[in-house]
Amino acid sequence: MGRLKPWPKFYLPFMLLPFLLLIGFAQAQQSYVDNQQLACEDPTKDNNITRGYLCNGEQRSCQSYITFRSEPPFYNTAVSIAYLLGAEAMQISSLNKLSADVSPITAKSMVVVPVNCSCFSGGNGSYYQHNASYTIKFDGETYFSISNDTYQGLTTCQAMEAQNPINFRELKVGNELTVPLRCACPTVRQTQGGVKYLLSYLVTWGDSISAIAETFGVDEKSLLDANELTEQDLIFPFTPLLVPLSKEPTKIELPQASPPSVPSPQIPTDPVEESKSSKKWVFIGVGIGAGFLLLLGLAGFLFCFCRRQARPIASPPPKPPSQVKPSSDSANYTGNSWSSISSQGVRYAIESLTLYRFEDLGAAAGNFSESNRIKGSVYQGSFQGDAAAVKVIKGDVSSEINLLKKINHTNIIRLSGFCVHEGNTYLVYEFADKGSVSDWLHSNKFQTSFTLSWKQRVQIAYDIADALNYLHNYINPPYVHKNLKTSNILLDVNFRAKIANFGLARTFEDNDEGGLQLTRHVVGTQGYMAPEYIENGVITPKLDVFALGVIILELLSGRQAANAEKNSGGEELLAASIEGVLEGDNVREKLKNFIDPSLRPEYPLDLAFSMAQLAKNCVAHDLNARPSMSEVLVTLSKILSSSLDWDPSDEFQRSTSLGSAR
Ligand SMILES: *[C@@H]1O[C@H](CO)[C@@H](O)[C@H](O)[C@H]1NC(C)=O
Ligand SMILES: *[C@@H]1O[C@H](CO)[C@@H](O)[C@H](O)[C@H]1NC(C)=O
Ligand SMILES: *[C@@H]1O[C@H](CO)[C@@H](O)[C@H](O)[C@H]1NC(C)=O
Ligand SMILES: *[C@@H]1O[C@H](CO)[C@@H](O)[C@H](O)[C@H]1NC(C)=O
Ligand SMILES: *[C@@H]1O[C@H](CO)[C@@H](O)[C@H](O)[C@H]1NC(C)=O
């Protein structure tokens, strides 16, 4: 199919005639792009036809519809299509009668997507559009490949270039682009004719005006008219046509689309014989089609030649993920995209996750008002009387959802549902009554005489290790959290810890080659990041071991993981300080000074020593010197059981019996 892409050029002579005729049509609605979107380089094709549909409607904004064909592996679920098109997953699944929002949609089947369409004035024109946003994922993506391949022709390279400040030569992975999707609102004349909505339909191989009109149950004449087309005009694959609808569209049932070997555009028909022309149509189609094939080769050659001279717009579409090394966080997409997960994980997901309606979510969270804000972009909500936390995240967080929906561990925050709305994801979590560990250790938020007790602190460390041990060793594939810190450890009403914020979590596979996973994209919080990660981007479970070591030190000392140093202006890392405490003379005194003053003297010094020793091993510079999470858990379980037996009243005798160092 790819080799056929130049064929449209060939039709040029056929297009010209009707075009000339068109000038006579004064009452037209919107101009068909007529394959001009292929010529990204040609300044004469950067005009008010390729840039968008003109704001000539009765209203400046309206409900409209666009179509999209399910495209595995990325864009084949209501949720992933909603992300791509800036639409709402819930609306997509209900309109298209999809059983579940994360279940895959058969490849190439057509999905109708409701969007808000509005008039945008900018540059030299006003165009109707629905904004989506897209972040470049692969090397070699261009405005053309994004508009034609990723968005299937819902936008044009001309419109994208006009609305994005980035020069086409400078596009690179990670750029966030505005994608103006073509949509339109009915004109006065259409409204008078009973048209309520316009749907942007994507023409595909083998389509004809009559077939499209039939699919949507509309009059051929009104379809032609809506696009300033005449019966003689040709239509081209990967271009949108406006379909005027008098009522809301419903699920479109199409025969399984299989690309025909010969493209069969709408062949000029004799208007007189129109009604009984279908047989003849095919006949002419085949005849002319065969003739075209010859010329196609020639045209193709010329076209490619011109292309090469212009710029590599027709560079191959983004490679399927299997060919992309999962070397950065964004490539997390690959192994764990919605689609691949859905085969195994989806049943559980359907049962366990609620897909919320945005309105319901807003109502539950006080319309995201300031008074409902817990912190940052996290809001408190109430769902049928149950408290929940709603976190608002920009963009695609399917990897976090995919992970959390598979997890069932009391020490990992439970995700109960989500909603995708206007490019944001709203994640609904169980509510942690007592806030975060960092609130208790470092802020004055709970300005009371209450402090976390020794037993609570040990329990918290144990709970975290328990959850991490589960992540590292008991799920398949195993995960590294990568972003552990006391502000991500939440406490429930009984002060039991729950790990939250899995936005950076990623899988690691114990591959046989023994290769380490590396990332160039080092993100994290100062003070918690292991040296090999900062320096070389090495990702192993030992990252979490290091961070847990830091958390244990915070629990012991009440100090911050990284503190602005008073004298030198640099930063003092808690992880670096423990060595000095446990080495040399006077360990006992040094340790006592290290321990959080608000605990004193209510803690067993020998157990504190064991904790400190464990933490020190966890933050060892050499990752191989750090214990595994299962070893950490075993040590912590011993300390925990001793702590639970410990009675504060006999502390004095015990602590005095502790030698300088064991
Ligand atoms: C916009 O205006 C500039 C100059 O004013 C012109 O060169 C360009 O062709 C116009 N673009 C469109 C799409 O009309
Ligand atoms: C579209 O552009 C053409 C020429 O570039 C101009 O004559 C025409 O007035 C424009 N139409 C609108 C509605 O701006
Ligand atoms: C469209 O706009 C309406 C009202 O302005 C809003 O309720 C609805 O959620 C919007 N839909 C989408 C998909 O953004
Ligand atoms: C446009 O995209 C389609 C499929 O997404 C592809 O088959 C076609 O070759 C592309 N057109 C060009 C000119 O690259
Ligand atoms: C769409 O994006 C353009 C920038 O390209 C912006 O100016 C415009 O306000 C956006 N429209 C809406 C409705 O968000």
Side-chain angles (χ1 to χ4, degrees):
M1 195 155 81
R3 232 162 290 125
L4 290 179
K5 65 188 132 190
W7 70 272
K9 264 274 162 89
F10 167 73
Y11 285 106
L12 218 70
F14 288 80
M15 285 153 45
L16 285 179
L17 178 73
F19 229 104
L20 296 175
L21 292 175
L22 237 178
I23 296 171
F25 283 65
Q27 301 289 357
Q29 316 285 306
Q30 295 283 5
S31 310
Y32 177 53
V33 305
D34 217 2
N35 246 5
Q36 298 187 66
Q37 85 289 349
L38 289 181
C40 303
E41 275 296 280
D42 182 349
T44 64
K45 300 293 163 64
D46 182 13
N47 53 34
N48 53 20
I49 296 173
T50 51
R51 287 224 177 159
Y53 289 127
L54 302 172
C55 295
N56 59 2
E58 201 175 8
Q59 293 176 340
R60 289 188 65 80
S61 70
C62 61
Q63 170 77 59
S64 72
Y65 299 87
I66 55 186
T67 59
F68 189 83
R69 289 190 172 79
S70 170
E71 188 64 50
F74 292 147
Y75 308 114
N76 66 338
T77 66
V79 172
S80 56
I81 294 173
Y83 277 124
L84 185 69
L85 303 182
E88 228 179 281
M90 186 76 180
Q91 294 180 357
I92 298 177
S93 53
S94 66
L95 197 156
N96 296 281
K97 309 221 170 11
L98 299 172
S99 55
D101 306 271
V102 286
S103 59
I105 304 165
T106 319
K108 303 291 171 201
S109 57
M110 189 161 74
V111 178
V112 179
V113 180
V115 292
N116 287 340
C117 185
S118 45
C119 183
F120 156 62
S121 312
N124 358 3
S126 300
Y127 304 102
Y128 279 124
Q129 65 188 46
H130 171 75
N131 284 357
S133 76
Y134 180 75
T135 306
I136 297 191
K137 296 189 177 62
F138 306 100
D139 285 332
E141 285 187 85
T142 61
Y143 285 124
F144 179 77
S145 75
I146 295 167
S147 59
N148 174 76
D149 299 67
T150 309
Y151 284 87
Q152 304 180 355
L154 284 169
T155 184
T156 64
C157 48
Q158 290 91 350
M160 285 201 68
E161 269 183 74
Q163 297 194 26
N164 286 288
I166 306 172
N167 185 286
F168 69 84
R169 286 176 225 280
E170 281 152 22
L171 292 176
K172 55 176 187 295
V173 173
N175 286 156
E176 205 175 296
L177 303 174
T178 297
V179 185
L181 302 179
R182 292 174 83 96
C183 59
C185 301
T187 60
V188 174
R189 208 161 62 89
Q190 282 171 325
T191 310
Q192 284 166 354
V195 173
K196 287 226 177 65
Y197 311 103
L198 292 172
L199 173 143
S200 308
Y201 171 80
L202 286 170
V203 177
T204 188
W205 302 108
D207 265 343
S208 68
I209 290 284
S210 52
I212 298 168
E214 194 179 327
T215 301
F216 291 95
V218 302
D219 180 43
E220 256 182 74
K221 185 85 188 64
S222 71
L223 179 55
L224 288 171
D225 190 37
N227 298 282
E228 293 192 349
L229 288 169
T230 67
E231 278 155 2
Q232 281 77 31
D233 284 317
L234 298 171
I235 53 176
F236 304 94
F238 318 114
T239 59
L241 274 185
L242 287 175
V243 180
L245 300 173
S246 55
K247 56 184 192 324
E248 282 185 38
T250 50
K251 179 179 167 59
I252 308 286
E253 299 284 2
L254 283 178
Q256 191 63 41
S258 60
S261 50
V262 175
S264 46
Q266 198 202 11
I267 301 301
T269 54
D270 182 351
V272 186
E273 291 192 16
E274 206 187 330
S275 56
K276 48 168 183 151
S277 63
S278 79
K279 281 218 176 76
K280 186 178 159 198
W281 191 94
V282 173
F283 180 72
I284 298 174
V286 172
I288 296 186
F292 282 177
L293 275 178
L294 270 178
L295 288 155
L296 255 169
L298 179 64
F301 175 77
L302 288 175
F303 192 76
C304 293
F305 188 68
C306 301
R307 274 285 171 81
R308 190 143 312 162
Q309 301 220 312
R311 74 160 127 129
I313 28 180
S315 65
K319 286 285 166 280
S322 58
Q323 301 182 20
V324 179
K325 276 256 148 60
S327 57
S328 72
D329 282 319
S330 60
N332 228 347
Y333 233 93
T334 53
N336 294 289
S337 63
W338 286 101
S339 44
S340 67
I341 282 292
S342 37
S343 52
Q344 334 121 23
V346 82
R347 192 160 303 121
Y348 178 56
I350 296 165
E351 288 160 10
S352 64
L353 286 189
T354 311
L355 196 81
Y356 289 97
R357 215 178 261 284
F358 180 69
E359 294 80 59
D360 299 345
L361 209 58
N367 290 317
F368 303 103
S369 66
E370 208 43 49
S371 60
N372 281 62
R373 187 196 296 274
I374 300 174
K375 166 159 93 179
S377 60
V378 183
Y379 297 82
Q380 181 168 357
S382 170
F383 295 82
Q384 283 134 24
D386 289 335
V390 182
K391 183 159 100 178
V392 189
I393 306 176
K394 189 159 170 46
D396 186 343
V397 293
S398 39
S399 57
E400 179 166 357
I401 300 175
N402 276 331
L403 169 57
L404 287 180
K405 79 184 182 198
K406 290 191 296 184
I407 283 182
N408 185 10
H409 192 281
T410 50
N411 301 116
I412 292 176
I413 202 86
R414 198 169 54 80
L415 179 70
S416 62
F418 66 105
C419 163
V420 178
H421 180 76
E422 291 183 345
N424 289 327
T425 305
Y426 297 75
L427 298 175
V428 181
Y429 296 98
E430 71 175 302
F431 188 69
D433 295 79
K434 299 291 185 187
S436 74
V437 171
S438 104
D439 289 339
W440 286 96
L441 291 179
H442 308 307
S443 84
N444 303 324
K445 190 167 168 184
F446 304 98
Q447 193 50 284
T448 57
S449 54
F450 186 87
T451 179
L452 292 173
S453 71
W454 172 257
K455 287 177 188 177
Q456 283 167 334
R457 293 179 196 219
V458 178
Q459 181 74 60
I460 289 166
Y462 175 83
D463 287 346
I464 302 168
D466 193 1
L468 292 173
N469 186 41
Y470 171 82
L471 280 181
H472 293 178
N473 301 316
Y474 288 90
I475 57 171
N476 190 17
Y479 270 82
V480 190
H481 183 284
K482 267 186 77 207
N483 194 18
L484 284 175
K485 48 182 170 180
T486 44
S487 57
N488 284 340
I489 310 295
L490 305 181
L491 296 173
D492 73 5
V493 73
N494 298 315
F495 290 94
R496 296 298 297 268
K498 290 179 187 286
I499 302 182
N501 206 345
F502 283 74
L504 298 181
R506 57 174 291 168
T507 55
F508 65 94
E509 310 278 359
D510 282 329
N511 46 5
D512 297 333
E513 299 108 68
L516 290 172
Q517 290 206 34
L518 302 177
T519 180
R520 278 168 292 157
H521 184 57
V522 171
V523 282
T525 306
Q526 173 75 325
Y528 294 95
M529 286 184 288
E532 74 278 5
Y533 179 64
I534 300 176
E535 284 156 24
N536 300 315
V538 178
I539 297 173
T540 68
K542 296 292 175 73
L543 288 189
D544 288 347
V545 174
F546 185 95
L548 176 58
V550 177
I551 292 174
I552 295 174
L553 293 175
E554 279 184 83
L555 289 165
L556 282 174
S557 68
R559 301 181 200 173
Q560 307 263 12
N563 247 327
E565 200 156 317
K566 285 137 221 148
N567 312 328
S568 64
E571 270 192 312
E572 183 193 56
L573 300 185
L574 194 54
S577 62
I578 187 63
E579 201 154 323
V581 175
L582 295 183
E583 271 167 22
D585 304 329
N586 281 332
V587 170
R588 208 177 125 191
E589 282 314 305
K590 285 192 284 183
L591 184 60
K592 278 185 174 173
N593 286 332
F594 182 74
I595 302 285
D596 191 348
S598 59
L599 267 177
R600 228 177 277 158
E602 301 271 296
Y603 66 92
L605 191 60
D606 53 348
L607 294 178
F609 178 80
S610 304
M611 279 280 265
Q613 193 69 47
L614 173 67
K616 175 176 163 254
N617 294 339
C618 289
V619 299
H621 192 275
D622 174 7
L623 67 95
N624 295 313
R626 291 175 214 150
S628 71
M629 196 54 76
S630 52
E631 289 162 347
V632 175
L633 185 65
V634 169
T635 309
L636 280 171
S637 75
K638 290 179 188 156
I639 299 175
L640 178 63
S641 67
S642 306
S643 294
L644 294 177
D645 294 342
W646 169 72
D647 178 357
S649 59
D650 42 67
E651 178 49 26
F652 277 102
Q653 308 125 33
R654 266 171 167 245
S655 68
T656 45
S657 69
L658 181 74
S660 59
R662 259 198 281 186

